[in-house]
Amino acid sequence: MGNNNTAVVSAAFEQLKAAAQQKWEQLHSKPLILVGAATCGRAAGALSLLEEVKTELQKLQLDATVLEVGCMGHCYAEPVMVIYNEGFPTICYGYVKEGVGARIVRDYLTEGDPGIEFALAAIEPNDFFPTFQDFPRGVYENKIVMEQCGFIDPRDIDHYLATGGYSALVKALETTPEEIIETVKASGLRGRGGAGFPTGVKWETCRNSAGDQKYVICNADEGDPGAFMDRTILESNPHLLIEGLAIAARAAGAEKGYVYIRAEYPLAVERVALAVQTAKEKGLLGKSILGSDFNFDIELFQGSGAFVCGEETALIASMEGQPGIPRHRPPFPAISGLWGKPTVINNVKSLSYVPYIINRGAEWFRSNGTEKSPGTAIFALAGKVVNTGLAEVPMSTTLRELIFDVGSGIANGKNFKAVQIGGPSGGCLPEEALDTPIDFDSLTKAGAMMGSGGMVVLDENDCMVEIARFFLDFTQKESCGKCTFCRLGTKHMLDILERITKGRGKPEDIDMLMELASKVREGSLCNLGKTAPNPVLSTLKYFREEYEAHINEGRCPSLMCKDLIAYYILPDKCERSCDACVGSCPVEAIYDNEDRIKVINQEKCVKCDSCMVACPPQYKAVIKVSPPYKVAEMEQERGKK
Amino acid sequence: MRLTEEEKQAAVEVTQAILGRLDQGDKGRIIPVLQQVQSKLGYVPQIAMEEVAAHFGVPPVDIYGIITFYNQFRLTPPGKNQVKICMGTACHMRGAHIIQEAWERRLNIKVGETTEDREYSLERVACVGCCTMAPVVVINEEVHGKITPTRVDGLLFSHQLDKRKMKEGDANNG
């Protein structure tokens, strides 16, 4: 590109940026209230909070702006609200339940009482109140991709522009595609979709492939149950992804891009579609972007709910209007992809790092994480951990730090048992493996997988056989059916696991599972089949005794497998005049015996857990027993007394 | 499932309106078209599949193959209210199967079925990405987190209450 063009581009961009910054400053000239309303926030009632705050402002006739933003990752504290008010430190509030939002706004904006009893932390350092950095979580967290999530309005491109957005695209327009590729290669960025393939190499292969028509695709088909970081980025900062995709297109030599996004994420679809449209209006997408010779357009494609479509060749098949069935590689999509043309397919997170790498340089990126896995990793902490949510930490952070410091440990005072990483392709790691540093290679070595970064923490009440069965049930249903071993082998393994969880397992089942696992791994074409046995293998490796208890004794040590447990009310603990359990039972299985102690009719009981929840904590009279025949023994024992 | 003539007519009209003047060679449009048919009708009837197949010049069985391959598509009409139970890992570990049974018991149908009065249908969905609020149920488009069997009763009750209010409102207006 000629030098005179560079001037055109930066002039056009400076104009956009100046307008955006002016708008941004105006926004901060009066009190500003941000409400986290991504899907997770909405599930916790963010929309009614939004309504409540707006009504309160109207009632008090206060001049303040209320904005609906994305998620900053503190999902455990949803709904979350941030208030900027001149002269006070900016404070983030958590657990803003009904009535609290209106109260905070009223007290803060009319009487100057910031209501710190509801505050989670301050956003920037100040003399009054700790910031997120002062908590254990903040020590480990290093936000790159998630920096802006939850602080800008995802539906307003000006917010993104005002905070430095699209400047990397301008930089990319001013350099050659080869230089972009060099920078990304030097940064060592590896694909965050799970496989960890170097992003720069992928782009280079596509650039060097013959053909005038090339494509870039963003893989936003986040299908791993338990992972939601892509959704958060899409809902909270869609322009980051668009900028990354545009830079990828410039590097790879493509003029057409797609965002392949799950139809199960309606809010994300809506926000990305709007972002693409506004970027086009501003001239940041479309023909001759910012007056340069670079043309690039993005279209949305909605995935129809097939897990296997996260595999790139299956994704391409589904975009071509076929069932999503993977094909042989090579040729790799970077050589022959969509409609047979060279195609780059990158994950949402990989692309989201790109603008930062271009702006801050490869060296800066390398200063985070490890030699072979530079940068940060985003984990979706869920399950039995206290602080669930998204955490962006440098690679090489250990699992223990992540679970016990960032996640604040196990909820309800229970004991840690295992952590499941990498979704259906990953594995369960026990206590001993907690000091494993997180990066692509050491997790694979430990028997799990980086995967997309879903992390489900399991406590003593979670049955490892059941979790293996759950994942296999998932992969078995999602197998596309092309390879015999994946189609039939997983089904057979599932049958065995189901038998074991129902107490009908046979001693030879464990060996059979091992054998099938290795056959499925060898006989499958794509990673869905190759990794499907991982949950079974890792649980067998670390928790074999649980399998044996199920098979040999018909007992579920974690009291989870429904067919192997029964509910029982301890007569010594039952408070006679309390009827909490009776009312909670949906099938009227609980009755009073002659001394008004509650008894469960085992024939009627559907094991719904309601009575256990309903029983007041000071009595804790309802227990689970395994194997179920023990109840009869206990009842007999009592009869004798 | 038998459709009435009017239903068939409506399905054909909807499908043709969506197909419009789309390029017949652009097979990449097949899935988006089917998605639009489903969002208009709530499901994809056989007659709509045949229309799509004819438009793109592919055998109807290929369209049927696509419909049955992807989880998103339905072959039968959904209930007026769609209850979707999230079956992600976090929800599973926090008792999604217990929630599923609670719905099945209350609605007296199994997953994948629609109640007699076509009022409710029950489905399982893969992770909706609200793992921190597990277990999660999506009713129509609304996400409800931290569900317990007693909350299932509560949700149904409030739903029926809303309906009764609406009916009374209608009666008052009329």
Side-chain angles (χ1 to χ4, degrees):
Chain A
M1 194 166 63
N3 278 335
N4 42 1
N5 239 347
T6 315
V8 174
V9 169
S10 44
F13 179 68
E14 284 312 319
Q15 206 182 345
L16 281 181
K17 194 173 169 181
Q21 270 168 340
Q22 202 185 352
K23 194 169 155 189
W24 182 251
E25 271 156 32
Q26 241 167 23
L27 191 71
H28 286 80
S29 64
K30 53 185 179 181
L32 173 65
I33 302 166
L34 307 178
V35 175
T39 307
C40 44
R42 290 177 175 209
L47 289 184
S48 49
L49 170 64
L50 203 67
E51 240 2 87
E52 185 184 306
V53 170
K54 278 185 185 158
T55 320
E56 188 67 21
L57 287 175
Q58 213 161 33
K59 208 169 83 191
L60 299 171
Q61 297 197 318
L62 288 171
D63 188 22
T65 319
V66 187
L67 280 184
E68 201 184 315
V69 296
C71 172
M72 58 172 102
H74 293 272
C75 304
Y76 57 92
E78 300 275 20
V80 169
M81 182 167 86
V82 174
I83 302 185
Y84 289 88
N85 194 6
E86 194 72 48
F88 287 94
T90 307
I91 292 179
C92 173
Y93 301 89
Y95 310 98
V96 190
K97 296 273 177 291
E98 211 177 323
V100 175
R103 191 184 142 184
I104 295 173
V105 167
R106 187 174 57 236
D107 290 356
Y108 197 173
L109 300 188
T110 60
E111 288 160 29
D113 168 16
I116 46 172
E117 62 269 38
F118 301 107
L120 274 184
I123 302 298
E124 65 260 349
N126 62 82
D127 298 335
F128 310 102
F129 204 70
T131 61
F132 281 118
Q133 277 69 37
D134 297 325
F135 292 97
R137 182 185 175 123
V139 175
Y140 294 99
E141 249 182 345
N142 177 8
K143 287 190 176 184
I144 299 177
V145 168
M146 287 188 58
E147 199 180 314
Q148 305 287 0
C149 290
F151 294 102
I152 59 173
D153 185 348
R155 290 167 307 176
D156 194 338
I157 188 170
D158 285 332
H159 287 200
Y160 185 66
L161 279 165
T163 50
Y166 287 107
S167 55
L169 177 63
V170 172
K171 231 171 156 180
L173 289 174
E174 288 164 359
T175 51
T176 62
E178 285 76 15
E179 276 174 281
I180 304 172
I181 291 174
E182 268 325 304
T183 310
V184 174
K185 265 169 79 179
S187 76
L189 175 66
R190 292 174 71 173
R192 293 300 200 261
F197 190 80
T199 304
V201 177
K202 219 181 227 181
W203 294 2
E204 191 174 40
T205 316
C206 181
R207 168 141 215 107
N208 294 340
S209 299
D212 45 353
Q213 180 78 340
K214 287 172 189 173
Y215 298 103
V216 286
I217 299 173
C218 168
N219 183 351
D221 192 42
E222 184 177 52
D224 264 23
F228 51 91
M229 57 288 280
D230 291 358
R231 172 182 67 69
T232 299
I233 296 171
L234 295 166
E235 287 177 357
S236 310
N237 199 0
H239 285 286
L240 181 62
L241 160 79
I242 291 172
E243 188 179 2
L245 194 60
I247 296 169
R250 166 115 175 114
E255 295 201 336
K256 175 97 200 173
Y258 292 91
V259 181
Y260 188 101
I261 184 169
R262 269 182 98 195
E264 282 98 330
Y265 288 170
L267 189 65
V269 171
E270 184 192 311
R271 289 193 175 164
V272 175
L274 182 69
V276 168
Q277 191 200 328
T278 46
K280 269 182 203 167
E281 283 162 13
K282 296 266 179 194
L284 293 160
L285 284 177
K287 284 236 171 304
S288 94
I289 291 174
L290 294 170
S292 69
D293 56 358
F294 176 51
N295 310 317
F296 181 59
D297 206 359
I298 294 180
E299 216 179 293
L300 252 65
F301 191 95
Q302 289 191 42
S304 307
F307 177 64
V308 70
C309 286
E311 203 280 344
E312 48 185 17
T313 57
L315 184 147
I316 288 171
S318 97
M319 287 184 66
E320 290 175 349
Q322 292 159 14
I325 296 176
R327 62 158 176 77
H328 238 290
R329 292 183 305 179
F332 284 91
I335 293 162
S336 170
L338 185 63
W339 309 114
K341 308 279 192 250
T343 306
V344 165
I345 301 176
N346 283 137
N347 174 270
V348 176
K349 280 155 282 165
S350 323
L351 288 170
S352 302
Y353 284 109
V354 170
Y356 292 101
I357 293 174
I358 299 295
N359 267 335
R360 301 180 189 172
E363 272 313 303
W364 160 82
F365 190 70
R366 278 203 163 280
S367 67
N368 301 290
T370 65
E371 174 69 33
K372 284 196 174 152
S373 306
T376 55
I378 307 180
F379 281 98
L381 272 171
K384 308 287 176 69
V385 65
V386 176
N387 288 350
T388 52
L390 287 181
E392 184 170 358
V393 295
M395 294 273 189
S396 84
T397 308
T398 67
L399 289 169
R400 191 182 298 278
E401 289 162 345
L402 196 58
I403 295 167
F404 288 92
D405 292 333
V406 176
S408 300
I410 311 299
N412 304 326
K414 296 272 169 58
N415 287 322
F416 172 86
K417 186 185 223 171
V419 54
Q420 207 286 339
I421 311 169
S425 316
C428 294
L429 300 180
E431 177 93 42
E432 307 91 273
L434 276 187
D435 293 309
T436 313
I438 293 163
D439 62 62
F440 289 101
D441 310 302
S442 20
L443 281 181
T444 314
K445 220 188 277 168
M449 196 172 133
M450 186 83 179
S452 52
M455 186 176 271
V456 181
V457 179
L458 308 172
D459 70 14
E460 52 191 298
N461 291 1
D462 293 320
C463 173
M464 304 314 288
V465 186
E466 169 56 27
I467 188 119
R469 189 206 62 79
F470 166 74
F471 281 116
L472 214 68
D473 181 53
F474 182 83
T475 28
Q476 186 268 326
K477 285 203 179 93
E478 293 295 337
S479 167
C480 76
K482 180 171 181 151
C483 310
T484 317
F485 278 102
C486 179
R487 185 179 67 241
L488 300 177
T490 54
K491 175 78 182 135
H492 199 55
M493 286 173 79
L494 179 64
D495 285 346
I496 295 176
L497 287 170
E498 262 170 8
R499 210 160 64 207
I500 296 177
T501 54
K502 291 204 157 93
R504 297 200 304 268
K506 295 179 225 154
E508 63 269 25
D509 278 347
I510 291 183
D511 290 331
M512 183 57 116
L513 277 176
M514 301 280 260
E515 193 188 331
L516 279 166
S518 69
K519 292 281 165 11
V520 170
R521 181 177 280 180
E522 284 161 27
S524 302
L525 180 66
C526 78
N527 270 331
L528 187 143
K530 278 193 207 302
T531 58
N534 280 356
V536 180
L537 288 174
S538 63
T539 47
L540 264 175
K541 183 170 162 195
Y542 296 114
F543 302 97
R544 197 184 174 103
E545 70 286 354
E546 289 201 18
Y547 280 82
E548 287 164 352
H550 282 79
I551 296 173
N552 301 336
E553 303 166 44
R555 178 172 66 92
C556 177
S558 318
L559 304 174
M560 192 182 182
C561 295
K562 230 178 106 182
D563 293 276
L564 301 183
I565 57 162
Y567 285 79
Y568 180 65
I569 298 175
L570 292 167
D572 304 339
K573 289 202 172 171
C574 176
E575 167 62 41
R576 290 143 210 246
S577 55
C578 155
D579 279 342
C581 55
V582 179
S584 76
C585 182
V587 291
E588 294 172 13
I590 304 179
Y591 60 93
D592 285 2
N593 75 358
E594 52 279 14
D595 21 305
R596 292 201 60 198
I597 285 176
K598 310 293 175 290
V599 184
I600 299 176
N601 178 341
Q602 298 293 338
E603 310 242 295
K604 273 191 182 173
C605 176
V606 291
K607 302 175 187 176
C608 72
D609 213 44
S610 297
C611 50
M612 204 160 168
V613 175
C615 187
Q618 62 267 41
Y619 309 141
K620 273 193 192 159
V622 185
I623 57 160
K624 292 192 262 189
V625 284
S626 175
Y629 63 77
K630 276 207 175 148
V631 169
E633 281 174 16
M634 287 159 104
E635 276 171 356
Q636 236 172 15
E637 193 88 343
R638 178 169 164 75
K640 270 188 220 155
K641 275 185 198 167
Chain B
M1 168 163 232
R2 279 205 178 278
L3 298 180
T4 60
E5 282 307 315
E6 290 91 65
E7 277 177 315
K8 275 189 190 168
Q9 185 67 31
V12 171
E13 273 169 22
V14 164
T15 315
Q16 279 173 348
I18 291 165
L19 285 168
R21 266 183 237 146
L22 279 183
D23 178 9
Q24 305 194 336
D26 189 1
K27 301 220 165 40
R29 293 274 160 220
I30 294 179
I31 292 177
V33 163
L34 293 173
Q35 283 169 337
Q36 285 173 46
V37 170
Q38 165 135 325
S39 79
K40 282 263 163 60
L41 297 174
Y43 70 117
V44 188
Q46 185 185 342
I47 193 143
M49 288 187 236
E50 286 165 358
E51 283 293 323
V52 175
H55 183 90
F56 289 104
V58 296
V61 67
D62 283 4
I63 304 295
Y64 184 73
I66 290 169
I67 297 279
T68 48
F69 184 88
Y70 295 102
N71 297 328
Q72 187 191 14
F73 296 112
R74 298 182 59 103
L75 291 161
T76 51
K80 267 189 220 137
N81 300 293
Q82 296 183 44
V83 180
K84 297 175 199 153
I85 305 157
C86 177
M87 283 292 161
T89 320
C91 290
H92 178 77
M93 295 325 282
R94 285 186 176 246
H97 54 287
I98 291 174
I99 305 307
Q100 179 188 330
E101 280 164 17
W103 282 105
E104 288 178 337
R105 207 163 37 237
R106 282 289 169 242
L107 297 175
N108 204 13
I109 50 172
K110 294 271 168 242
V111 160
E113 293 178 351
T114 306
T115 48
E116 281 289 321
D117 55 3
R118 289 212 189 175
E119 199 61 43
Y120 297 95
S121 58
L122 198 55
E123 284 165 60
R124 291 160 58 123
V125 285
C127 191
V128 291
C130 296
C131 310
T132 54
M133 307 298 296
V136 169
V137 167
V138 187
I139 303 176
N140 299 326
E141 294 295 307
E142 210 177 326
V143 184
H144 299 269
K146 303 198 171 154
I147 303 288
T148 57
T150 35
R151 261 205 78 195
V152 171
D153 298 350
L155 283 169
L156 266 175
F157 183 66
S158 74
H159 214 255
Q160 275 151 4
L161 218 60
D162 283 351
K163 218 171 68 184
R164 203 184 313 154
K165 263 192 212 150
M166 234 153 68
K167 253 192 200 155
E168 276 164 15
D170 284 350
N172 289 343
N173 290 339

